[in-house]
Amino acid sequence: MDVLKELYVREIAEYAEIRRGGRGVGLEGRTRLRVLRLCFSGRRIRFAGVSRCSKAAMQGETDSREEFSAAFSAFWMALEDFIDAARAVHQEGWASRTGRGAAAVSGAVGSSFMTELDFLQDTRASYDAVAEEYATHASGELAAKPLDRGMLAGFADMVRADGGGPVADIGCGTGRVTAHLADLGLSVSGIDLSPGMLAVARRQHPDLRFDEGSMLALDLPDGSLGGIVAWYSTIHVPLELLPDAFAEFHRVLAPGGHLLAAFQVGDEPLRLEEAYGLQVSLDFHRRQPDRMAALLEKAGLPVRARLVREPDSGRFAERTSQAFLVARKPGPDAPA
């Protein structure tokens, strides 16, 4: 186990060194998604293997150095493919826009891919740090918000009316909304980026399933869900990456599947570097419902209902209005 853990640490250190060496590539808008899908399509099982083996290594659950090495080899192969293809596509696009050759712009490749990695790492690390405090603070919040519960109840009714297919609470945190959905009669599981939050969720709700993952690359089959809840989980996603997340939602929803998204209303982000007395690095992106609805529509998820309520006061005081959108993936029996 010690040898396997040493291998894990060395591989992660090498990955961090590559990041510091500036091997990131700069991609814009849908070009980034094009390259991502080109290089990572069909490789989710390999990345799941890396995650599974690395966690097992750190927890002492396996002594299979060969399995772990094979998983990391697949990871490095895909990462190298991504970097090479991304750099080529980006340089080709840049050269066509500026009239400069690819060689002339080879040194000018930016770092938006690394910005994406930084966003994911910062969000994960921040919620890992505050997981226990967050769970204590949020306890009882749903009970104090009848309109929020009403939106969840309406969503549950719609999913059940269409056959009650499985539901994913994406960005589930400590699992409080996941558990509420289960109490409403849904077959639901949770997905979150933060192992710390997931540890709390599994401890507090041992009868429910919780998996680690990112909404930008869900480890779920196409068309496998009857519903998705994104309960304040898109608020940390930069605007340029929202179309990617919504494309993933569309991919994993079955035709006629429902989406409920909750978020804070506004135009300016809130930056937090401290929460519950602990250091964090989080951006809360407030958004306008019309803009969110337009992005969902473009992703093939037309909005069917919306609620905007004023900020609450009291123990769970809010700084801004809160918005809730219900969207549906068109299908044979679903309105377009």
Side-chain angles (χ1 to χ4, degrees), residues 18 23 25 39 78-88 113-114:
I18 285 178
R23 292 189 57 184
V25 295
C39 297
L79 182 61
E80 292 294 335
D81 287 351
F82 178 84
I83 290 174
D84 291 342
R87 183 176 285 115
F113 178 52
M114 288 307 161

Side-chain angles (χ1 to χ4, degrees), residues 170 225-228 230 242-261 289 291-306 325-331 334-336:
I170 298 178
L225 297 179
I228 289 174
L242 269 185
D244 299 1
F246 292 164
E248 277 292 88
F249 291 175
H250 182 274
R251 180 184 68 80
V252 300
L253 277 173
H258 300 273
L259 165 69
L260 171 60
R291 176 60 172 153
M292 288 285 281
L295 290 172
L296 288 168
E297 178 86 31
K298 191 172 182 179
L301 297 168
V303 170
R304 314 304 303 175
R306 67 179 71 190
L325 300 181
V326 176
R328 192 180 191 192
K329 180 176 179 177

Side-chain angles (χ1 to χ4, degrees), residues 12-318:
I12 293 299
E14 183 177 350
Y15 180 46
E17 183 64 30
I18 285 178
R19 291 189 66 243
R20 285 195 296 273
R23 292 189 57 184
V25 295
L27 299 174
E28 299 177 1
R30 308 309 291 175
T31 303
R32 194 205 65 79
L33 182 59
R34 169 187 165 195
V35 176
L36 182 66
R37 295 210 182 283
L38 171 68
C39 297
F40 288 174
S41 178
R43 298 196 185 190
R44 283 191 183 84
I45 188 63
R46 295 186 182 181
F47 288 100
V50 172
S51 177
R52 182 185 66 255
C53 293
S54 62
K55 286 187 289 187
M58 297 304 290
Q59 296 169 3
E61 296 176 1
T62 178
D63 58 359
S64 176
R65 176 178 178 141
E66 292 76 14
E67 180 185 5
F68 184 65
S69 296
F72 248 108
S73 294
F75 172 83
W76 283 115
M77 184 188 306
L79 182 61
E80 292 294 335
D81 287 351
F82 178 84
I83 290 174
D84 291 342
R87 183 176 285 115
V89 170
H90 181 74
Q91 291 176 6
E92 176 187 352
W94 195 332
S96 67
R97 290 194 303 274
T98 63
R100 301 163 62 191
V105 300
S106 61
V109 176
S111 59
S112 64
F113 178 52
M114 288 307 161
T115 298
E116 179 178 339
L117 291 180
D118 288 341
F119 139 69
L120 292 172
Q121 291 185 346
D122 287 347
T123 303
R124 178 186 295 111
S126 295
Y127 278 104
D128 281 350
V130 302
E132 296 293 341
E133 290 77 8
Y134 178 93
T136 300
H137 174 80
S139 177
E141 183 174 11
L142 270 180
K145 297 185 175 181
L147 291 177
D148 297 21
R149 296 198 311 275
M151 293 301 294
L152 290 165
F155 168 82
D157 285 346
M158 290 185 289
V159 172
R160 287 197 304 269
D162 287 327
V167 171
D169 179 10
I170 298 178
C172 64
T174 58
R176 59 193 182 89
V177 172
T178 322
H180 185 77
L181 293 168
D183 290 342
L184 292 173
L186 295 181
S187 173
V188 60
S189 60
I191 299 172
D192 200 87
L193 193 64
S194 163
M197 299 288 270
L198 290 170
V200 176
R202 291 167 181 147
R203 185 180 72 237
Q204 295 187 345
H205 312 288
D207 54 330
L208 297 177
R209 175 177 174 174
F210 296 96
D211 296 310
E212 185 177 341
S214 166
M215 68 177 66
L216 298 175
L218 293 167
D219 189 16
L220 294 170
D222 295 358
S224 59
L225 297 179
I228 289 174
V229 170
W231 198 255
Y232 295 95
S233 55
T234 64
I235 62 175
H236 302 302
V237 180
L239 179 61
E240 62 269 22
L241 297 180
L242 269 185
D244 299 1
F246 292 164
E248 277 292 88
F249 291 175
H250 182 274
R251 180 184 68 80
V252 300
L253 277 173
H258 300 273
L259 165 69
L260 171 60
F263 55 95
Q264 300 153 341
V265 177
D267 298 302
E268 297 298 326
L270 170 68
R271 173 71 178 175
L272 284 187
E273 297 183 353
E274 184 272 336
Y276 312 114
L278 299 169
Q279 182 178 351
V280 298
S281 179
L282 289 171
D283 290 314
F284 294 77
H285 298 282
R286 298 158 173 171
R287 297 181 168 116
Q288 293 297 330
D290 286 345
R291 176 60 172 153
M292 288 285 281
L295 290 172
L296 288 168
E297 178 86 31
K298 191 172 182 179
L301 297 168
V303 170
R304 314 304 303 175
R306 67 179 71 190
L307 168 70
V308 177
R309 65 166 176 78
E310 294 302 307
D312 278 348
S313 57
R315 177 187 169 191
F316 302 106
E318 297 161 337

